[in-house]
Structures are given as structure tokens and as C-alpha cells.
Amino acid sequence: MKKGNVLKTVTAFAAAEFLISSYFYRRTMKRGRAKTERTMKMAGTDWSQYADFLAKRKEYFLSQAHEDVWITSDDGLKLHGTFFPNQGSKRIVLCFHGYTSEGMKDYIALSDYYLRRGFAMLLVDERAHGQSEGEYIGFGCLDRMDALQWLDWIVKTCGTDCKIILHGTSMGAATVLMASGLVLPSQVKGIVSDCAFTSPKEVFTHVLHSMYHMPAFPIIQIADRMNKKRAGYGMDECNAAREVKKSTTPTLFIHGDADTFVPCRMCEKMYENCGAKKWKLIVPGAAHAESYYKDTRRYEEALELLLKEVF
């Protein structure tokens, strides 16, 4: 092959790789392009079987007094949350939802557990989700800093004598674990992580391999450069498996062993690395974010262990 033809072939491959990476990046990282329906399909959890259960929980949930609240992030985004004061309770759970979801969606079932046990609840829309502003999804790397702002709001609203639990699901779980490596207010007493991933880079690599049957290189590397330029952070800039090493906050790790979207091995790695007092619940047969539904009794028993330890 002539030198000119070789150069054209290499250029064509490079252009194709860039286009594929750009397509993947937009579908994954940008608001409006990342679709809930696609996420649910990739996660593979059959939520239809829990429709009646969720309908009953939702009726009770929405009948409780609640209000919209707003804060401003460090980079100027207006962020939304929904606060259930539960008669002015001093025990508050701050909840972070999963990828392409919203605060008021992921905690319909668990709201019954927390509200009936006297907890106030703050359910936030993470940046670029729900009513919160933002063009690019933070994947926990940016949201962990927003968590500090929400914690400040809780302490100012509920008083310095309040006691706070952080509870996250999927991307929200990555958020609270990444936040565990920061200096948290003394009011934060415990963390619950349900099906967290370690970092955007590692979970995207898994998805490309397992669901798209594509090599991660060079797609991840190109997308990483795009994200640093557009969203302001690298895809492995914050890694929950590293952050938990610095944690001093008691943490409960929960994961389903049938989770194909975020593999259970990520939970095992983070649990092993965690520097704080810790507990682990692996639910047999539970798919992504399904652990509470698959074994409600064991899930609530695990929560009780954590709460008795920290309150």
C-alpha cells in the first residue's frame, strides 16, 4: 500500500474513532441525550413486577407534608430538592438518586421505612437531572461537592443538633461514597451505598465490553478529554474505591449479586478499601437497584444495624 493510502486509511480510522467516541459521550454525559428508557433497558431490572407495591408506597409518601427547596452549587447551578420535614425531626436522611432518575423516583419504596421511623427526608435532584440545572452529568465526581452544599442547608435548616444519614442508589451511591473522602460535617453519622460504581471510567468500560461488545480504548480516552474540556472533570478524577480509604463515617454497602449493569465486584473492592467501620449486604438474585425489593427484610435489618450503631 502506498504511503498516501496508508495515511488516508489511518486518518479515516482516527476520524471514525472520534465520531464513535463523540456519539457515546453525548448519549452518556449530556442532559437530554442520556435517556431513562435506555438506562432501564441496560440495567435489566424488571420493575413491572413491583408496580402494585410501589403504588401503595407512593400514595403514603405523597400524602406526607413536603416542600420544594433550592440551593446554588459552587459553580452557579440552581439545584432542586424535595424536603419532608416529618414534624421537625432532628434525624434526617439525605438521598441521592441514580443515573437519569430523579430524587422523588428512587426512594418511593424506602420512604416508608424512613418516615415511619421518624426521619425527615431530603431527596435531591442531582445536577443535570430533574428540576436541577446543569448540562453535563456529574457522575458523583461533581455531585459530591453539591452534597456538601446540601448538608450545609440541612444543618442551617434543622439545627446543629441534627443527625444525618447519607443514602445513595447507583450513581447516587457513588456520590455519597466519593463524598465520604471529604471532610464532612460532624452531623453526618452514617452512609448507605446501594449498588455504587467505583468511577465513571470503570463503569463505562464495563458497559462498553459487556453490553456493546466494544473495546474501551480509545473511546474512553477520547471521551475523557471531551469531559475535562466540557464538564470540567476527568472520568477517573474521583474514584469511590480510593475515596473510601479516607472515610471515617460508618458505611453500609449493599449490592445485588445479579447486577450486570454495575458488577458486584465493584462493591467488594470498595468494601475492602473502606477505612471506616463497615457492613456489607449482598442480596442473591438481585439485579441493579433491586436489593430492597428482592429481600426487603434483610435490607431493613441491615439498615437497623447501621442506625443502632450511629444513633
Side-chain angles (χ1 to χ4, degrees):
M1 185 180 293
K2 294 182 179 180
K3 186 176 180 180
N5 291 336
V6 171
L7 181 60
K8 288 180 181 179
T9 300
V10 171
T11 302
F13 273 117
E17 288 171 346
F18 181 81
L19 289 172
I20 291 170
S21 300
S22 297
Y23 176 71
F24 169 76
Y25 179 81
R26 289 193 300 272
R27 282 167 54 97
T28 304
M29 305 297 292
K30 196 168 183 180
R31 185 183 198 131
R33 298 293 187 92
K35 302 294 186 181
T36 303
E37 297 77 12
R38 187 165 62 244
T39 303
M40 292 177 68
K41 184 178 180 180
M42 289 192 297
T45 308
D46 179 14
W47 293 110
S48 64
Q49 62 186 308
Y50 304 116
D52 292 341
F53 172 75
L54 284 168
K56 292 177 182 178
R57 291 281 172 105
K58 186 175 183 179
E59 182 179 3
Y60 172 74
F61 186 32
L62 294 180
S63 71
Q64 308 305 302
H66 58 281
E67 60 181 314
D68 292 319
V69 295
W70 304 87
I71 63 169
T72 302
S73 68
D74 288 337
D75 54 348
L77 298 178
K78 190 176 181 181
L79 304 179
H80 171 262
T82 307
F83 184 52
F84 290 74
N86 205 359
Q87 302 179 8
S89 176
K90 292 290 186 177
R91 302 205 301 177
I92 300 97
V93 58
L94 173 56
C95 302
F96 292 86
H97 61 78
Y99 177 58
T100 70
S101 188
E102 298 176 14
M104 288 291 286
K105 289 183 178 179
D106 284 10
Y107 291 89
I108 291 172
L110 273 164
S111 65
D112 185 82
Y113 174 87
Y114 281 119
L115 292 173
R116 292 186 189 277
R117 284 164 178 76
F119 278 83
M121 299 185 73
L122 176 58
L123 305 102
V124 306
D125 291 341
E126 298 194 52
R127 57 174 56 216
H129 289 78
Q131 297 183 58
S132 289
E133 293 181 343
E135 184 176 2
Y136 295 99
I137 296 171
F139 278 99
C141 300
L142 299 180
D143 308 282
R144 65 179 182 141
M145 306 309 297
D146 299 335
L148 295 181
Q149 297 290 95
W150 284 116
L151 288 168
D152 184 62
W153 183 92
I154 291 174
V155 173
K156 287 179 179 177
T157 302
C158 301
T160 57
D161 57 341
C162 69
K163 297 179 179 180
I164 304 169
I165 295 292
L166 304 181
H167 194 136
T169 301
S170 191
M171 185 181 76
T175 297
V176 298
L177 292 182
M178 290 177 184
S180 75
L182 302 172
V183 178
L184 298 176
S186 61
Q187 290 83 5
V188 177
K189 303 302 181 183
I191 293 174
V192 182
S193 164
D194 186 340
C195 62
F197 54 76
T198 49
S199 74
K201 178 182 178 181
E202 291 182 3
V203 77
F204 294 160
T205 297
H206 168 73
V207 168
L208 283 170
H209 287 164
S210 65
M211 299 181 184
Y212 290 95
H213 308 292
M214 295 175 65
F217 180 84
I219 295 173
I220 293 294
Q221 287 70 23
I222 295 172
D224 183 54
R225 290 196 295 271
M226 290 179 179
N227 205 52
K228 286 178 181 177
K229 182 177 180 180
R230 300 176 187 180
Y233 70 95
M235 291 187 176
D236 199 50
E237 185 174 306
C238 188
N239 186 307
R242 294 195 299 263
E243 293 302 309
V244 295
K245 293 179 180 180
K246 299 180 282 185
S247 177
T248 59
T249 307
T251 301
L252 169 61
F253 294 84
I254 301 172
H255 219 103
D257 72 357
D259 191 338
T260 57
F261 192 37
V262 177
C264 194
R265 67 175 182 273
M266 292 191 179
C267 178
E268 299 288 358
K269 182 178 181 180
M270 291 182 290
Y271 176 80
E272 181 180 345
N273 286 358
C274 183
K277 188 164 186 179
K278 57 195 174 184
W279 299 263
K280 179 174 63 175
L281 173 64
I282 305 299
V283 179
H288 189 63
E290 192 185 22
S291 292
Y292 183 74
Y293 305 86
K294 202 73 172 180
D295 198 334
T296 303
R297 179 185 62 81
R298 288 184 64 213
Y299 195 112
E300 292 187 350
E301 287 176 352
L303 288 176
E304 291 293 335
L305 283 174
L306 172 70
L307 296 178
K308 285 179 181 178
E309 175 70 24
V310 302
F311 286 125

